Each structure stands twice: as structure tokens, then as C-alpha cells.
């Protein structure tokens, strides 16, 4: 991506123009960041109390039994969001969807086990073991550069 800044007294406020051959996910993310949307907050419920969750502390977010859960080192919280809504609020450079029902924090991974055919086993901090579904394997390998 090329970045160019021009100083022009004709513009009292900054103006951003994105020139691209096609609208991609990267372009959408960039436009969303530049639009000045308020930072997204995740809140979860545990023991009848609602707590604000720091995205950096999240280990994984998953759907199960009709609910969406966020797991941190402090415990498991119930979110009042759908999984895709939580995914939209999380940094795409730090979090990756590994199946239709799970998103993991790339910075909370102990290791990947590639010995399984067609899938990847992931060991997360806290001892959780999960698997990247075949549909998402190529996307994760691209992100990891393997």
C-alpha cells in the first residue's frame, strides 16, 4: 500500500481519498478506521456481573449451546453478541476465525501441530486444545506465512 500526504491550504480539514482497482477487505477495514468510528468495546457477563473485556486479554471467542463465550485467563464470560459481531469488533491482525464457531487470539497461542492431515491442531494458553477446520486452514496458513 502506498501512502501519500500533500499539504494544500485549500483544504481546511483533512480529506482522504482511496484509489484502488477493487474494493477488498483491506480497503473496507482502512475506510472503517479512517471514518472515525468509536473504538469497539466488548463486555461479558460472569456471575451476574458485566465486565469490560480487554481484547488483548482474550484467548478465544466461541459459540456453543446457543450462546457466545469469551475466554480470558480470568475465566469465561457470556457475550450478548453474535460471533460475527464480536469478530467485527476485534482487530483482524490479532484475531483469526478458525471455524464457523470459533475465533482465536494469535498472541495467545502456545503452538500449532501440523501433523494432522487436512487440519491444524492449536494449543492455546490455559491448556485449551482446538482445531482449525479445513475451510479455514489455507487462510490461517497465509496469515502465518507457511
Amino acid at each position: 500500500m502506498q501512502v501519500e500526504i500533500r499539504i494544500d491550504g485549500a483544504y481546511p480539514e483533512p480529506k482522504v481519498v482511496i484509489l484502488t482497482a477493487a474494493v477488498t477487505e483491506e480497503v473496507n477495514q482502512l475506510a472503517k478506521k479512517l471514518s472515525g468510528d468509536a473504538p469497539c468495546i466488548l463486555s461479558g457477563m460472569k456471575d451476574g456481573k458485566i465486565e469490560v473485556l480487554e481484547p488483548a486479554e482474550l484467548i478465544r471467542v466461541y459459540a456453543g449451546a446457543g450462546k457466545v463465550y469469551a475466554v480470558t485467563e480470568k475465566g469465561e464470560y457470556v457475550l450478548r453478541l453474535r460471533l460475527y459481531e464480536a469478530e467485527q469488533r476485534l482487530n483482524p491482525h490479532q484475531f483469526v476465525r478458525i471455524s464457523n464457531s470459533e475465533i482465536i487470539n494469535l498472541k495467545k497461542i502456545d503452538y500449532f501441530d501440523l501433523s494432522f492431515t487436512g487440519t491444524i491442531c492449536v494449543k492455546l494458553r490455559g491448556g485449551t486444545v482446538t482445531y482449525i477446520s479445513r475451510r479455514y486452514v489455507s487462510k490461517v496458513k497465509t496469515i502465518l506465512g507457511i
Side-chain angles (χ1 to χ4, degrees), residues 77-144:
Y77 299 84
V78 177
L79 302 181
R80 289 188 173 170
L81 298 170
R82 296 184 182 270
L83 192 63
Y84 77 90
E85 293 171 327
E87 183 179 26
Q88 290 173 347
R89 293 179 181 212
L90 297 171
N91 181 348
H93 300 291
Q94 185 175 351
F95 293 87
V96 65
R97 185 182 280 255
I98 61 166
S99 70
N100 285 338
S101 61
E102 188 168 7
I103 301 165
I104 60 172
N105 185 343
L106 292 170
K107 295 183 178 180
K108 300 285 184 173
I109 294 171
D110 283 339
Y111 64 84
F112 292 96
D113 184 356
L114 303 174
S115 64
F116 295 94
T117 304
T119 188
I120 299 173
C121 178
V122 182
K123 172 98 179 345
L124 299 168
R125 289 193 195 143
T128 304
V129 176
T130 188
Y131 296 89
I132 300 173
S133 71
R134 291 178 185 215
R135 179 178 177 187
Y136 293 91
V137 166
S138 63
K139 177 184 173 187
V140 172
K141 281 186 173 181
T142 302
I143 290 169
L144 298 174

Side-chain angles (χ1 to χ4, degrees), residues 8-48:
D8 188 341
Y11 297 96
E13 287 187 36
K15 177 181 179 180
V16 177
V17 177
I18 300 172
L19 304 172
T20 183
V23 177
T24 63
E25 184 61 31
E26 181 184 27
V27 172
N28 285 332
Q29 291 292 331
L30 182 61
K32 186 176 177 181
K33 285 181 184 178
L34 290 172
S35 68
D37 293 339
C40 294
I41 294 174
L42 280 180
S43 60
M45 188 170 4
K46 179 180 172 186
D47 300 328

